[in-house]
Short mmCIF file of all heavy atoms in Angstrom, two decimals:
data_model
loop_
_atom_site.label_atom_id
_atom_site.label_comp_id
_atom_site.label_asym_id
_atom_site.label_seq_id
_atom_site.Cartn_x
_atom_site.Cartn_y
_atom_site.Cartn_z
N GLN A 237 94.58 46.87 143.89
CA GLN A 237 95.12 48.21 143.69
C GLN A 237 96.51 48.36 144.32
O GLN A 237 97.21 49.33 144.06
CB GLN A 237 94.19 49.27 144.28
CG GLN A 237 92.84 49.33 143.62
CD GLN A 237 91.85 48.29 144.15
OE1 GLN A 237 92.16 47.49 145.02
NE2 GLN A 237 90.65 48.29 143.60
N ALA A 238 96.93 47.41 145.13
CA ALA A 238 98.23 47.47 145.80
C ALA A 238 99.37 47.01 144.90
O ALA A 238 100.53 47.08 145.29
CB ALA A 238 98.20 46.64 147.08
N THR A 239 99.06 46.56 143.71
CA THR A 239 100.08 46.01 142.81
C THR A 239 101.24 46.97 142.58
O THR A 239 102.40 46.59 142.70
CB THR A 239 99.45 45.62 141.45
OG1 THR A 239 98.41 44.67 141.70
CG2 THR A 239 100.47 45.01 140.52
N ALA A 240 100.94 48.21 142.26
CA ALA A 240 101.98 49.20 141.99
C ALA A 240 102.86 49.45 143.21
O ALA A 240 104.08 49.53 143.10
CB ALA A 240 101.38 50.50 141.49
N ALA A 241 102.24 49.55 144.38
CA ALA A 241 103.00 49.78 145.61
C ALA A 241 103.91 48.60 145.92
O ALA A 241 105.06 48.79 146.33
CB ALA A 241 102.05 50.06 146.77
N LEU A 242 103.42 47.39 145.74
CA LEU A 242 104.23 46.21 145.99
C LEU A 242 105.37 46.10 144.99
O LEU A 242 106.49 45.71 145.34
CB LEU A 242 103.37 44.95 145.96
CG LEU A 242 102.43 44.78 147.15
CD1 LEU A 242 101.48 43.62 146.92
CD2 LEU A 242 103.22 44.58 148.43
N GLN A 243 105.12 46.46 143.75
CA GLN A 243 106.16 46.44 142.72
C GLN A 243 107.25 47.45 143.07
O GLN A 243 108.44 47.17 142.95
CB GLN A 243 105.54 46.75 141.36
CG GLN A 243 106.41 46.39 140.20
CD GLN A 243 106.69 44.90 140.08
OE1 GLN A 243 106.06 44.05 140.69
NE2 GLN A 243 107.68 44.57 139.31
N GLN A 244 106.84 48.63 143.55
CA GLN A 244 107.80 49.66 143.95
C GLN A 244 108.62 49.17 145.14
O GLN A 244 109.84 49.37 145.18
CB GLN A 244 107.07 50.96 144.31
CG GLN A 244 107.98 52.07 144.77
CD GLN A 244 108.93 52.55 143.71
OE1 GLN A 244 108.62 52.51 142.53
NE2 GLN A 244 110.10 52.99 144.11
N LEU A 245 107.98 48.53 146.09
CA LEU A 245 108.69 47.99 147.26
C LEU A 245 109.70 46.93 146.83
O LEU A 245 110.82 46.89 147.33
CB LEU A 245 107.69 47.40 148.26
CG LEU A 245 108.25 46.85 149.56
CD1 LEU A 245 108.98 47.93 150.34
CD2 LEU A 245 107.12 46.27 150.40
N LYS A 246 109.33 46.09 145.88
CA LYS A 246 110.23 45.06 145.37
C LYS A 246 111.45 45.70 144.71
O LYS A 246 112.59 45.27 144.94
CB LYS A 246 109.53 44.17 144.36
CG LYS A 246 110.39 43.02 143.88
CD LYS A 246 109.89 42.29 142.66
CE LYS A 246 108.50 41.79 142.73
NZ LYS A 246 108.10 41.00 141.55
N MET A 247 111.24 46.74 143.92
CA MET A 247 112.35 47.42 143.24
C MET A 247 113.30 48.07 144.26
O MET A 247 114.51 47.99 144.12
CB MET A 247 111.83 48.47 142.26
CG MET A 247 111.07 47.91 141.11
SD MET A 247 112.09 46.77 140.16
CE MET A 247 111.01 46.40 138.82
N GLU A 248 112.73 48.72 145.27
CA GLU A 248 113.55 49.36 146.30
C GLU A 248 114.36 48.32 147.06
O GLU A 248 115.55 48.52 147.34
CB GLU A 248 112.67 50.14 147.27
CG GLU A 248 112.05 51.38 146.66
CD GLU A 248 111.04 52.04 147.58
OE1 GLU A 248 110.93 51.63 148.76
OE2 GLU A 248 110.36 52.96 147.12
N ALA A 249 113.73 47.21 147.41
CA ALA A 249 114.41 46.14 148.14
C ALA A 249 115.54 45.56 147.29
O ALA A 249 116.66 45.36 147.79
CB ALA A 249 113.43 45.04 148.52
N ALA A 250 115.28 45.32 146.04
CA ALA A 250 116.30 44.75 145.16
C ALA A 250 117.49 45.71 145.02
O ALA A 250 118.64 45.27 145.04
CB ALA A 250 115.69 44.47 143.79
N GLN A 251 117.19 46.99 144.90
CA GLN A 251 118.26 47.97 144.77
C GLN A 251 119.13 47.98 146.04
O GLN A 251 120.35 48.00 145.96
CB GLN A 251 117.67 49.35 144.51
CG GLN A 251 118.72 50.40 144.24
CD GLN A 251 118.10 51.74 143.89
OE1 GLN A 251 116.91 51.94 144.00
NE2 GLN A 251 118.93 52.66 143.45
N GLU A 252 118.50 47.98 147.21
CA GLU A 252 119.25 47.98 148.46
C GLU A 252 120.10 46.73 148.63
O GLU A 252 121.20 46.78 149.17
CB GLU A 252 118.32 48.13 149.65
CG GLU A 252 117.86 49.54 149.85
CD GLU A 252 117.27 49.76 151.23
OE1 GLU A 252 117.75 49.15 152.20
OE2 GLU A 252 116.31 50.54 151.30
N LEU A 253 119.58 45.59 148.16
CA LEU A 253 120.29 44.32 148.32
C LEU A 253 121.24 44.02 147.17
O LEU A 253 121.98 43.05 147.22
CB LEU A 253 119.29 43.18 148.47
CG LEU A 253 118.39 43.25 149.72
CD1 LEU A 253 117.33 42.18 149.66
CD2 LEU A 253 119.23 43.12 150.99
N GLY A 254 121.19 44.81 146.10
CA GLY A 254 122.06 44.58 144.96
C GLY A 254 121.61 43.42 144.09
O GLY A 254 122.42 42.81 143.40
N VAL A 255 120.31 43.12 144.10
CA VAL A 255 119.76 42.04 143.29
C VAL A 255 119.05 42.67 142.09
O VAL A 255 118.26 43.60 142.26
CB VAL A 255 118.76 41.18 144.10
CG1 VAL A 255 118.11 40.13 143.23
CG2 VAL A 255 119.46 40.55 145.29
N THR A 256 119.32 42.18 140.90
CA THR A 256 118.68 42.69 139.69
C THR A 256 117.37 41.94 139.47
O THR A 256 117.36 40.71 139.46
CB THR A 256 119.59 42.50 138.47
OG1 THR A 256 120.84 43.10 138.74
CG2 THR A 256 118.97 43.12 137.23
N ILE A 257 116.28 42.66 139.28
CA ILE A 257 114.98 42.05 139.01
C ILE A 257 114.94 41.66 137.53
O ILE A 257 115.19 42.49 136.67
CB ILE A 257 113.83 43.05 139.31
CG1 ILE A 257 113.84 43.48 140.76
CG2 ILE A 257 112.48 42.46 138.92
CD1 ILE A 257 113.47 42.39 141.74
N PRO A 258 114.64 40.39 137.22
CA PRO A 258 114.59 39.99 135.82
C PRO A 258 113.41 40.64 135.09
O PRO A 258 112.30 40.68 135.63
CB PRO A 258 114.42 38.47 135.89
CG PRO A 258 113.85 38.20 137.24
CD PRO A 258 114.35 39.30 138.13
N GLN A 259 113.65 41.16 133.91
CA GLN A 259 112.61 41.84 133.14
C GLN A 259 111.48 40.90 132.74
O GLN A 259 110.34 41.32 132.65
CB GLN A 259 113.21 42.48 131.88
CG GLN A 259 114.16 43.62 132.18
CD GLN A 259 113.48 44.75 132.92
OE1 GLN A 259 112.39 45.17 132.56
NE2 GLN A 259 114.11 45.26 133.97
N ASP A 260 111.80 39.62 132.54
CA ASP A 260 110.77 38.67 132.12
C ASP A 260 110.07 37.99 133.29
O ASP A 260 109.16 37.19 133.10
CB ASP A 260 111.36 37.61 131.19
CG ASP A 260 112.46 36.78 131.84
OD1 ASP A 260 112.78 37.01 133.03
OD2 ASP A 260 113.00 35.90 131.15
N GLY A 261 110.49 38.32 134.53
CA GLY A 261 109.84 37.75 135.71
C GLY A 261 110.30 36.35 136.05
O GLY A 261 109.81 35.74 137.00
N TYR A 262 111.28 35.81 135.31
CA TYR A 262 111.77 34.45 135.55
C TYR A 262 112.95 34.49 136.51
O TYR A 262 113.98 35.09 136.22
CB TYR A 262 112.19 33.80 134.23
CG TYR A 262 112.78 32.42 134.40
CD1 TYR A 262 111.98 31.35 134.79
CD2 TYR A 262 114.13 32.18 134.17
CE1 TYR A 262 112.52 30.09 134.95
CE2 TYR A 262 114.67 30.92 134.33
CZ TYR A 262 113.86 29.88 134.71
OH TYR A 262 114.37 28.62 134.87
N TYR A 263 112.79 33.87 137.68
CA TYR A 263 113.83 33.87 138.69
C TYR A 263 114.63 32.57 138.73
O TYR A 263 115.39 32.34 139.64
CB TYR A 263 113.20 34.11 140.07
CG TYR A 263 112.76 35.52 140.29
CD1 TYR A 263 111.49 35.94 139.91
CD2 TYR A 263 113.59 36.46 140.88
CE1 TYR A 263 111.07 37.24 140.11
CE2 TYR A 263 113.18 37.77 141.08
CZ TYR A 263 111.92 38.14 140.70
OH TYR A 263 111.52 39.43 140.89
N GLY A 264 114.48 31.72 137.71
CA GLY A 264 115.15 30.42 137.70
C GLY A 264 116.66 30.48 137.67
O GLY A 264 117.33 29.52 138.03
N ASN A 265 117.21 31.60 137.24
CA ASN A 265 118.67 31.74 137.17
C ASN A 265 119.24 32.39 138.43
O ASN A 265 120.42 32.69 138.47
CB ASN A 265 119.05 32.57 135.94
CG ASN A 265 118.63 31.89 134.66
OD1 ASN A 265 118.70 30.67 134.55
ND2 ASN A 265 118.18 32.66 133.70
N TYR A 266 118.42 32.60 139.43
CA TYR A 266 118.85 33.22 140.67
C TYR A 266 119.05 32.16 141.74
O TYR A 266 118.40 31.12 141.73
CB TYR A 266 117.83 34.26 141.14
CG TYR A 266 117.81 35.49 140.27
CD1 TYR A 266 117.20 35.47 139.03
CD2 TYR A 266 118.43 36.65 140.68
CE1 TYR A 266 117.19 36.58 138.21
CE2 TYR A 266 118.43 37.77 139.87
CZ TYR A 266 117.81 37.73 138.64
OH TYR A 266 117.83 38.84 137.84
N THR A 267 119.93 32.46 142.68
CA THR A 267 120.15 31.52 143.78
C THR A 267 119.05 31.66 144.81
O THR A 267 118.35 32.68 144.87
CB THR A 267 121.50 31.79 144.47
OG1 THR A 267 121.46 33.07 145.10
CG2 THR A 267 122.66 31.74 143.47
N SER A 268 118.90 30.63 145.62
CA SER A 268 117.93 30.68 146.71
C SER A 268 118.27 31.80 147.67
O SER A 268 117.38 32.44 148.23
CB SER A 268 117.91 29.35 147.46
OG SER A 268 117.49 28.32 146.62
N ARG A 269 119.54 32.06 147.86
CA ARG A 269 119.97 33.15 148.75
C ARG A 269 119.48 34.49 148.22
O ARG A 269 118.99 35.33 148.97
CB ARG A 269 121.48 33.16 148.90
CG ARG A 269 121.99 34.27 149.81
CD ARG A 269 123.48 34.23 149.99
NE ARG A 269 123.92 33.08 150.74
CZ ARG A 269 124.07 33.07 152.06
NH1 ARG A 269 123.81 34.16 152.75
NH2 ARG A 269 124.46 32.01 152.67
N GLU A 270 119.62 34.71 146.91
CA GLU A 270 119.19 35.99 146.32
C GLU A 270 117.68 36.18 146.44
O GLU A 270 117.22 37.23 146.89
CB GLU A 270 119.60 36.06 144.85
CG GLU A 270 121.08 36.22 144.63
CD GLU A 270 121.48 36.08 143.18
OE1 GLU A 270 120.89 35.26 142.46
OE2 GLU A 270 122.40 36.81 142.78
N THR A 271 116.92 35.18 146.03
CA THR A 271 115.47 35.33 146.06
C THR A 271 114.95 35.32 147.50
O THR A 271 114.02 36.03 147.82
CB THR A 271 114.78 34.23 145.24
OG1 THR A 271 115.18 32.95 145.72
CG2 THR A 271 115.10 34.37 143.77
N GLY A 272 115.58 34.53 148.35
CA GLY A 272 115.17 34.47 149.75
C GLY A 272 115.44 35.77 150.48
O GLY A 272 114.63 36.24 151.27
#
Side-chain angles (χ1 to χ4, degrees):
Q237 297 82 0
T239 302
L242 289 171
Q243 196 64 15
Q244 178 65 31
L245 183 59
K246 184 193 307 184
M247 294 301 185
E248 290 173 9
Q251 185 176 9
E252 282 196 36
L253 297 173
V255 176
T256 305
I257 300 291
Q259 293 299 315
D260 61 0
Y262 177 70
Y263 286 88
N265 298 323
Y266 289 77
T267 65
S268 296
R269 179 178 292 269
E270 289 172 324
T271 57

